[in-house]
Amino acid sequence: MSTARPGPLSGCTIAVTAHRRADDLIAAFERRGAKVLHAPTLQIVPVADDHALLEATRRVIANPPDDVVVTTAVGFRGWIESADSAGLAADLLGTLEQSRILARGPKARGAIRAAGLVEHWSARSETTAEVVDWLRDQGVTGRKIVVQLHGLSDPALQDSLRAAGASVRGLEVYRWGPAPDPALVERTIGQIGAGAVDAVVHTSAPGAQAMLDSAALTGQYDALIAALKSGRVLNACVGPVTAGPFVNLGLEPLVPDRFRLGALIRIVTDRLTDDNARSIETEHGQLVIRGGAAVLDGVVLPLGPGPRAVLAALVAAGGDVVSRPALLAVLPGAEDVHAVEVTVNRLRTAIGKPELVRTVVRRGYRLAVETAGIPS
């Protein structure tokens, strides 16, 4: 859990499910003032020192392929680094120079060029399926193809190339392993379901699916899906492939036009900044309700679940009076109206401006808003 600084996302809580390149996301959101919950749902397990990878590399050098499919930048870089550590880099690069290299997308293309090589073709959709379709259209009968596998590859795609007459070898550089801290993932899913998180951000389809699977295993699936469907939590994915597990459930995640981390960061920031659905102008400045805090006149006010629930109900009322029984209904675990009075006192203390929440005798409470005609 990270400490927020003032910025356009002050008061926002963002959950990041990524393992690889998570530091870039976290730093960017923190610079904008957000509090970040880092709960990787999977982890990349490198196999750079694996004897099997080195043996596969030697086989590629000894029996050069006609085509090499590069699916991920991290995988291709890891392959070259592994070869270098074994003294095979020069031989491997020389072999690849003679092959037709196909990139799954711009990131893979960048890694190819960083190694001093040039790709023959790159998929626009950033999917392995498009690469396979392109190869089949070109004709693969009798061709030797090496596919650099990513963490959750689809064997059916390789099988389709074999069915078209190609000889296909898969080369695994890394694989997905379980979450480093399953308990942290469980707690974070609980916070998402409870509405204490403003946005959850995903950078891989396996990671997104792993969050859904974890929710199902821990009995939180229905609450998670309800939160994502309600719009209370912004569900953002770096691209359509990553969004796939949610789209399959009928959900509509936020996806940037350009499938890059920078674009993802910008669109999440813009959407959270522009979302004033839970805000109101008060006599003490604009009040905005966020997942784990409130922001009053630009000042972030951390709130516990009870005070936040009461304040959210008062904001939703738009300055109208909210009865004690109605506030009791939104308080988690409360049993009588005395709990409402205690929570209101805690809320006033946390805000630092007790007069913002006004008592209306025998009726309940209301916010001091800048609206004429509201009874005191």
Side-chain angles (χ1 to χ4, degrees):
M1 187 178 296
S2 308
T3 303
R5 295 182 293 176
L9 296 181
S10 293
C12 291
T13 299
I14 299 176
V16 172
T17 65
H19 180 246
R20 179 168 62 89
R21 298 190 67 187
D23 290 346
D24 296 339
L25 282 172
I26 293 169
F29 287 131
E30 285 183 338
R31 283 197 301 272
R32 291 160 173 79
K35 179 173 69 175
V36 180
L37 306 177
H38 184 209
T41 54
L42 291 175
Q43 62 182 318
I44 288 179
V45 181
V47 292
D49 299 325
D50 196 326
H51 177 71
L53 175 59
L54 293 178
E55 284 302 308
T57 301
R58 292 187 178 97
R59 287 196 295 271
V60 168
I61 295 169
N63 185 15
D66 299 301
D67 302 298
V68 176
V69 178
V70 179
T71 60
T72 63
V74 65
F76 188 72
R77 287 195 300 266
W79 187 19
I80 302 301
E81 290 168 3
S82 172
D84 187 48
S85 69
L88 299 173
D91 290 339
L92 176 60
L93 291 172
T95 299
L96 296 179
E97 283 180 345
Q98 306 305 314
S99 302
R100 189 170 60 176
I101 304 177
L102 311 172
R104 191 176 69 150
K107 288 185 285 187
R109 183 174 67 227
I112 292 166
R113 294 181 180 181
L117 302 168
V118 178
E119 79 286 351
H120 181 83
W121 179 84
S122 179
R124 291 180 177 273
S125 66
E126 303 186 35
T127 63
T128 308
E130 185 183 352
V131 180
V132 170
D133 289 342
W134 186 89
L135 281 167
R136 287 172 59 93
D137 290 342
Q138 298 295 309
V140 295
T141 300
R143 295 186 70 85
K144 295 177 290 186
I145 302 174
V146 168
V147 180
Q148 173 255 309
L149 304 175
H150 53 90
L152 196 65
S153 299
D154 186 352
L157 296 177
Q158 296 179 57
D159 290 342
S160 70
L161 290 173
R162 294 187 181 99
S167 172
V168 183
R169 289 176 283 171
L171 188 138
E172 184 180 52
V173 183
Y174 69 88
R175 54 183 174 269
W176 292 111
D181 188 344
L184 174 60
V185 174
E186 181 179 353
R187 290 196 301 272
T188 301
I189 292 173
Q191 289 175 284
I192 295 169
V197 171
D198 297 284
V200 55
V201 177
H202 314 273
T203 62
S204 74
Q209 184 61 54
M211 186 185 76
L212 295 169
D213 293 342
S214 178
L217 287 171
T218 57
Q220 301 182 96
Y221 184 84
D222 290 344
L224 174 64
I225 297 301
L228 298 181
K229 283 185 175 179
S230 71
R232 296 195 311 270
V233 180
L234 183 65
N235 190 30
C237 299
V238 71
V241 175
T242 300
F246 300 111
V247 173
N248 291 339
L249 296 174
L251 301 174
E252 298 181 0
L254 180 68
V255 177
D257 292 334
R258 296 182 68 251
F259 313 142
R260 301 288 176 275
L261 286 187
L264 177 65
I265 292 163
R266 285 192 296 274
I267 196 171
V268 169
T269 300
D270 291 345
R271 185 64 62 88
L272 290 179
T273 302
D274 293 341
D275 180 12
N276 291 321
R278 292 180 293 176
S279 69
I280 193 170
E281 290 294 334
T282 77
E283 295 176 2
H284 301 278
Q286 186 186 50
L287 175 64
V288 182
I289 303 297
R290 294 298 190 184
V295 182
L296 178 61
D297 198 25
V299 177
V300 178
L301 307 171
L303 299 175
R308 183 195 168 282
V310 167
L311 187 58
L314 294 173
V315 169
D320 292 339
V321 177
V322 183
S323 70
R324 289 174 176 82
L327 291 177
L328 178 63
V330 302
L331 272 180
E335 297 181 356
D336 55 51
V337 293
H338 176 66
V340 173
E341 297 167 0
V342 171
T343 303
V344 168
N345 287 334
R346 288 169 52 203
L347 174 60
R348 286 169 169 160
T349 299
I351 293 173
K353 296 182 183 297
E355 61 275 17
L356 178 66
V357 180
R358 295 185 176 176
T359 301
V360 181
V361 178
R362 296 180 181 175
R363 295 181 59 196
Y365 302 92
R366 71 170 182 84
L367 288 180
V369 300
E370 292 187 339
T371 303
I374 294 180
S376 59

